[in-house]
């Protein structure tokens, strides 16, 4: 295995651990509530606290650590994550559990941003899309395997067991990073440089595209299980199998989008958003018949995470000389989009419009598609050589 492949594998494994932690709590809320003597609604605040830590804390940590050597920073952020996981596993009260989740979340966006930027630095410029997709695949595997296995462990051995295992896996990832990551000096950019770049017009538009476009997926996917059981009349077992197929499709879609991004960033990002708009718009009609419902779920899986590589590629295209904060904020934008989409979907479900979450998601994806034409208005700019900043009146 080459040094670049080993580095990508180590970063991917680390992202898998972080990604598993993000959604783990949702699967073990009853156990947490019963043990710590809080309602499930209160226990759910552990999910909210983590999300807020990612959105608000991640960029702050990124700015404060912008002058540190990259390898040492990656290891330090994962050790911070391990500390949060250990604190969660040992928490004697719900307040301490919240503290542990916040500590872990502070490293989430900063580490993912660092991992994505480091990934692009260990491969040739024409393979940056594939490198981003490889690292991001850690999240899709976490959703496919890590979260359900963690929930099963929590049901069988108590809610603390998954956090204990996560702590051990994080320390193993730290050892792997220490072994294979190349040493990289601290970037010459200052926090002021990072702030200047992230406030450029095209960078802000790219971040908005991520938040708006990805929220379209969340409107539907958050409520995909009741949609398939109540409208399509699938059994619970069949829904579980479909969600497994969705996860497998997400992995394949993410990797394919990485390779396509290497060939044409603009065509990939527009093709993905165009495809999502069509699938989401058709969802109310597709779920009325089980065979088309299966096809719709598989298509949604293929396209949902196919947004990651081109959207992060957009950020790197416009924030090339000081990318860390911009990528960190964009990671938060994915989380913000997921939260906003879930809230909108919840409002539709409350209004007895479960079947019609798809068109609402389609409008958001279509808005994301429209925004890409503001960011990449000319083919020449869109297809500039990798690593070349696009001139902008805002920058």
């Amino acid at each position: 295995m080459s040094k670049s492949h080993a580095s990508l594998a180590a970063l991917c494994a680390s992202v898998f651990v972080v990604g598993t932690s993000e959604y783990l709590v949702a699967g073990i809320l009853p156990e947490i509530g019963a043990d710590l003597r809080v309602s499930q609604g209160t226990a759910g605040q552990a999910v909210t606290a983590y999300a807020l830590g990612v959105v608000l804390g991640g960029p702050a940590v990124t700015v404060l650590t912008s002058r540190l050597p990259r390898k040492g920073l990656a290891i330090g952020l994962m050790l911070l994550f391990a500390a949060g996981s250990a604190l969660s596993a040992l928490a004697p009260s719900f307040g301490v559990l919240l503290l542990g989740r916040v500590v872990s979340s502070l490293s989430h966006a900063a580490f993912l941003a660092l991992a994505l930027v480091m990934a692009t630095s260990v491969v040739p410029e024409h393979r940056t899309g594939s490198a981003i997709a490889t690292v991001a695949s850690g999240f899709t595997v976490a959703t496919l395997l890590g979260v359900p296995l963690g929930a099963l462990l929590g049901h069988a051995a108590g809610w603390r067991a998954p956090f204990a295992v996560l702590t051990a896996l994080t320390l193993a990832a730290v050892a792997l990073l220490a072994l294979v990551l190349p040493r990289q000096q601290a970037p010459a950019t200052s926090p002021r440089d990072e702030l200047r770049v992230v406030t450029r017009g095209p960078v802000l538009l790219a971040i908005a595209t991520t938040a708006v476009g990805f929220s379209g997926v969340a409107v539907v996917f958050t409520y995909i299980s009741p949609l398939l059981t109540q409208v399509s009349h699938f059994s619970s077992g069949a829904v579980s199998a479909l969600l497994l197929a969705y996860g497998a499709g997400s992995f394949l879609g993410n990797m394919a989008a990485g390779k396509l991004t290497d060939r044409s960033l603009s065509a990939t990002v527009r093709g993905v958003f165009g495809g999502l708009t069509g699938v989401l718009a058709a969802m109310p009609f597709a779920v009325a018949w089980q065979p088309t419902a299966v096809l719709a779920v598989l298509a949604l899986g293929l396209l949902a995470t196919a947004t990651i590589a081109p959207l992060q590629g957009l950020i790197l295209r416009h924030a090339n000389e000081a990318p860390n904060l911009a990528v960190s904020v964009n990671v938060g934008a994915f989380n913000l989009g997921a939260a906003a989409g879930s809230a909108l979907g919840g409002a539709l479900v409350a209004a007895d419009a479960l079947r019609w979450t798809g068109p609402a998601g389609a409008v958001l994806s279509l808005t994301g598609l429209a925004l890409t034409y503001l960011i990449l208005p000319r083919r020449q700019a869109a297809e500039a050589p990798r690593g070349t900043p696009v001139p902008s009146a805002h920058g």
Side-chain angles (χ1 to χ4, degrees):
M1 182 183 290
S2 69
K3 289 183 179 180
S4 64
H5 285 108
S7 296
L8 291 177
L11 292 169
C12 178
S14 301
V15 168
F16 166 78
V17 175
V18 173
T20 298
S21 176
E22 180 176 8
Y23 299 110
L24 175 64
V25 169
I28 52 176
L29 285 181
E31 289 80 5
I32 291 174
D35 184 48
L36 298 181
R37 298 181 182 178
V38 296
S39 68
Q40 287 191 40
T42 300
Q45 297 308 306
V47 178
T48 305
Y50 192 97
L52 288 175
V54 172
V55 174
L56 301 177
V61 172
T62 300
V63 170
L64 292 172
T65 59
S66 63
R67 300 303 297 272
L68 296 178
R70 304 290 89 182
K71 180 175 180 177
L73 177 58
I75 292 171
L77 289 172
M78 287 300 286
L79 287 173
L80 178 65
F81 186 85
S85 296
L87 188 60
S88 298
L90 299 171
S93 67
F94 183 68
V96 177
L97 173 63
L98 279 183
L99 178 61
R101 295 297 288 163
V102 170
V103 169
S104 290
S105 73
L106 291 177
S107 70
H108 176 113
F111 178 79
L112 183 55
L114 179 63
L116 292 172
V117 174
M118 290 188 77
T120 62
S121 71
V122 299
V123 298
E125 289 183 349
H126 66 275
R127 289 190 56 227
T128 55
S130 295
I132 291 170
T134 298
V135 171
S137 68
F139 268 111
T140 59
V141 176
T143 304
L144 180 62
L145 295 177
V147 173
L149 289 177
L152 284 174
L153 178 61
H155 299 327
W159 69 268
R160 298 176 189 274
F163 286 108
V165 171
L166 273 178
T167 304
L169 290 175
T170 307
L171 294 176
V174 166
L176 189 59
L177 292 172
L179 183 65
V180 305
L181 275 190
R183 291 189 178 276
Q184 293 185 11
Q185 295 303 311
T189 55
S190 66
R192 180 177 296 178
D193 294 327
E194 296 279 353
L195 288 168
R196 175 178 55 81
V197 167
V198 81
T199 53
R200 286 177 176 169
V203 175
L204 291 175
L205 276 173
I207 292 168
T209 301
T210 296
V212 174
F214 195 70
S215 65
V217 175
V219 171
V220 173
F221 184 68
T222 305
Y223 303 96
I224 194 74
S225 291
L227 183 68
L228 292 173
T229 54
Q230 296 176 28
V231 179
S232 303
H233 304 296
F234 283 105
S235 66
S236 297
V239 170
S240 296
L242 277 174
L243 291 179
L244 190 65
Y246 174 97
S250 295
F251 177 81
L252 295 174
N254 170 61
M255 298 303 292
K259 294 186 180 300
L260 291 171
T261 298
D262 288 337
R263 300 179 65 177
S264 173
L265 188 154
S266 61
T268 303
V269 71
R270 289 167 183 163
V272 169
F273 275 131
L276 271 176
T277 300
V279 170
L280 291 170
M283 191 65 73
F285 313 101
V287 294
W289 189 42
Q290 288 189 347
T292 51
V294 171
L295 292 176
V297 170
L298 293 178
L300 186 62
L302 284 168
L303 291 167
T305 55
T307 56
I308 296 174
L311 287 172
Q312 293 292 10
L314 273 178
I315 293 292
L316 292 171
R317 176 69 58 84
H318 290 286
N320 173 264
E321 66 270 35
N324 294 290
L325 178 59
V327 174
S328 178
V329 172
N330 204 45
V331 170
F334 275 104
N335 289 75
L336 189 62
S342 297
L344 175 57
L348 290 170
V349 171
D352 201 25
L354 171 64
R355 182 173 174 178
W356 301 99
T357 53
V363 170
L364 292 167
S365 290
L366 186 61
T367 304
L369 175 61
L371 287 172
T372 67
Y373 285 91
L374 296 178
I375 308 166
L376 299 167
R378 298 181 302 275
R379 181 175 177 83
Q380 293 90 333
E383 304 307 330
R386 297 279 181 261
T388 303
V390 177
S392 168
H394 302 280

